[in-house]
């Protein structure tokens, strides 16, 4: 079912913790309230239009994977907001307000933890910037690979290609040694092993539902010294999703994400600098269908 009330911004009467390209996060003391908007960005620019259903789909896909992977590693989820009345449990009485209905489905209460400054990128297929680098150096983010691999081919083994993680800066590639220097050798080893385990589990699950997860990225935090999974998990925004039925080695694949947006913007002649362009209705609807389809295929549910 389509949500015609596109949410581009939130302005709740709560202390704002951080706002990203898609998520608005509010500080509730020991907890955070994360609200996933329908904003969409391309080429690092937030566009002036939103994609209906996108926020709910992203939030519910993350919730789905957080539950599925909890046996591998704990995560930050405290509650997924299915009824705004749930918020009374986490918002002090003197700060409560008339909760907007749009919070339902697109928001969750999470633990406030110490975020680690490493984005854990994991790749199982040779695609995107990885393919471009491989053609030049036979490596991806400094990880050497065998000769003769083809575009979109499944890699002989899953590789860990971390990047920096900053609030206001572009993510930059990190070597494993740099990760060790940043978080320590023991924690670096855990990040790599758990990232690969999470990706392998999700990749195998998704293949049984006709979706290939080519690569993804995870973020982690420390909860009283214990490593936990945070942020989002295995969504079309943080991962490269392909249709297994259409998959062909040796060529670029169509993705279950904002590819129609990128394609239209590339064809428009836009210089990729702010302000972003408004999208035509057909591009918005095509993109909406991709997000919704990914959710339905993975979970067997309607968003």
């Amino acid at each position: 079912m389509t949500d015609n009330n596109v949410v581009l911004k939130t302005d709740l009467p709560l202390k704002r913790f951080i706002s990203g390209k898609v998520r608005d996060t509010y500080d509730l003391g020991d907890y955070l309230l994360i609200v996933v908007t329908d904003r969409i960005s391309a080429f690092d620019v937030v566009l002036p239009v939103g994609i209906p259903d996108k926020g709910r789909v992203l939030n519910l896909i993350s919730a789905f994977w957080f539950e599925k992977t909890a046996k591998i590693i704990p995560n930050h989820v405290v509650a997924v907001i299915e009824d705004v009345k749930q918020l009374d449990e986490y918002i002090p009485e003197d700060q409560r307000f008339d909760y907007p209905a749009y919070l339902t489905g697109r928001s969750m209460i999470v633990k406030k933890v110490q975020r680690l400054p490493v984005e854990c990128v994991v790749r199982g297929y040779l695609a995107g910037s990885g393919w471009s680098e491989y053609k030049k150096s036979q490596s991806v983010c400094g990880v050497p690979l065998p000769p003769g691999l083809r575009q979109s081919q499944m890699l002989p083994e899953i590789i860990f290609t971390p990047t920096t993680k900053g609030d206001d800066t572009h993510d930059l590639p990190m070597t494993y040694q740099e990760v060790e220097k940043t978080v320590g050798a023991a924690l670096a080893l855990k990040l790599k092993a758990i990232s690969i385990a999470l990706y392998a589990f999700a990749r195998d699950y998704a293949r049984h539902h006709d979706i290939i997860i080519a690569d993804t990225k995870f973020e982690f935090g420390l909860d009283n010294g214990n490593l936990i999974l945070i942020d989002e998990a295995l969504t079309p925004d943080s991962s490269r999703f392909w249709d297994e039925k259409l998959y062909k080695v040796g060529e670029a694949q169509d993705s279950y994400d904002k590819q129609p947006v990128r394609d239209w913007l590339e064809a428009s002649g836009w210089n990729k600098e702010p302000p972003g362009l408004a999208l035509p209705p057909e591009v918005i609807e095509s993109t909406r269908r991709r997000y919704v389809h990914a959710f339905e295929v993975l979970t067997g549910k309607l968003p």
Side-chain angles (χ1 to χ4, degrees):
M1 182 174 67
T2 302
D3 180 1
N4 293 317
N5 297 314
V6 175
V7 177
L8 290 181
K9 64 178 181 179
T10 68
D11 191 19
L12 305 180
L14 297 168
K15 181 181 178 183
R16 193 174 288 263
F17 185 76
I18 192 172
S19 287
K21 292 175 183 173
V22 176
R23 289 164 175 77
D24 291 343
T25 303
Y26 294 88
D27 193 334
L28 303 181
D30 292 336
Y31 303 112
L32 300 173
L33 170 64
I34 298 178
V35 185
V36 191
T37 72
D38 296 318
R39 295 193 294 264
I40 190 161
S41 66
F43 309 109
D44 285 330
V45 176
V46 177
L47 304 183
V49 296
I51 305 298
D53 294 318
K54 178 175 179 279
R56 289 191 300 123
V57 163
L58 291 178
N59 188 58
L60 294 174
I61 287 180
S62 280
F64 170 81
W65 285 117
F66 280 133
E67 183 178 357
K68 285 283 184 186
T69 60
K71 291 182 180 179
I72 298 174
I73 183 173
N75 57 68
H76 68 166
V77 177
V78 176
V80 179
I81 302 304
E82 299 172 348
D83 184 329
V84 292
K85 294 178 182 178
Q86 291 172 259
L87 292 169
D88 282 348
E89 186 175 345
Y90 307 100
I91 297 177
E93 188 171 356
D94 62 350
Q95 295 182 39
R96 292 174 192 164
F97 54 98
D98 188 11
Y99 308 128
Y102 68 69
L103 293 175
T104 303
R106 70 169 68 244
S107 55
M108 62 172 66
I109 301 290
V110 304
K111 296 178 181 178
K112 185 195 290 185
V113 300
Q114 176 191 349
R115 188 184 72 179
L116 296 177
V118 177
E119 190 157 86
C120 295
V121 181
V122 190
R123 303 171 189 261
Y125 291 76
L126 192 54
S129 61
W131 168 242
S132 299
E133 181 183 337
Y134 175 81
K135 289 187 292 182
K136 297 176 183 176
S137 63
Q138 202 178 299
S139 65
V140 174
C141 296
V143 179
L145 293 173
L149 298 180
R150 301 166 66 196
Q151 185 176 17
S152 303
Q153 184 173 345
M154 186 175 181
L155 296 172
E157 61 182 29
I158 299 166
I159 60 174
F160 180 66
T161 58
T163 69
T164 59
K165 181 61 184 178
D167 292 333
D168 302 310
T169 58
H170 291 292
D171 300 338
L172 300 173
M174 300 179 76
T175 65
Y176 183 72
Q177 290 69 32
E178 287 171 333
V179 177
E180 288 183 315
K181 290 179 182 178
T182 301
V183 300
L187 195 50
L189 189 61
K190 277 188 179 181
L191 289 176
K192 179 178 179 179
I194 291 174
S195 296
I196 289 173
L198 286 168
Y199 170 75
F201 170 82
R203 181 190 63 181
D204 293 346
Y205 177 93
R207 283 299 291 262
H208 284 95
H209 293 75
D210 297 325
I211 287 181
I212 293 173
I213 302 178
D215 49 47
T216 194
K217 57 186 178 182
F218 300 109
E219 289 189 45
F220 296 90
L222 295 177
D223 179 21
N224 293 319
N226 299 312
L227 190 66
I228 68 169
L229 183 62
I230 65 169
D231 196 59
E232 62 181 320
L234 296 152
T235 72
D237 272 15
S238 66
S239 318
R240 208 183 303 263
F241 283 17
W242 297 336
D243 187 335
E244 200 273 338
K245 295 178 181 177
L246 302 177
Y247 171 64
K248 292 181 181 179
V249 175
E251 59 188 58
Q253 312 298 311
D254 202 17
S255 297
Y256 280 129
D257 60 4
K258 52 190 173 186
Q259 193 61 49
V261 173
R262 288 190 289 259
D263 291 346
W264 185 85
L265 289 171
E266 287 277 15
S268 74
W270 177 51
N271 63 5
K272 301 179 184 176
E273 296 291 334
L277 302 184
L279 303 172
E282 62 272 18
V283 174
I284 291 173
E285 176 57 21
S286 175
T287 306
R288 185 196 76 84
R289 285 199 303 266
R290 287 172 183 245
Y291 280 94
V292 170
H293 183 68
F295 176 82
E296 291 175 346
V297 171
L298 282 172
T299 69
K301 301 176 181 178
L302 295 175

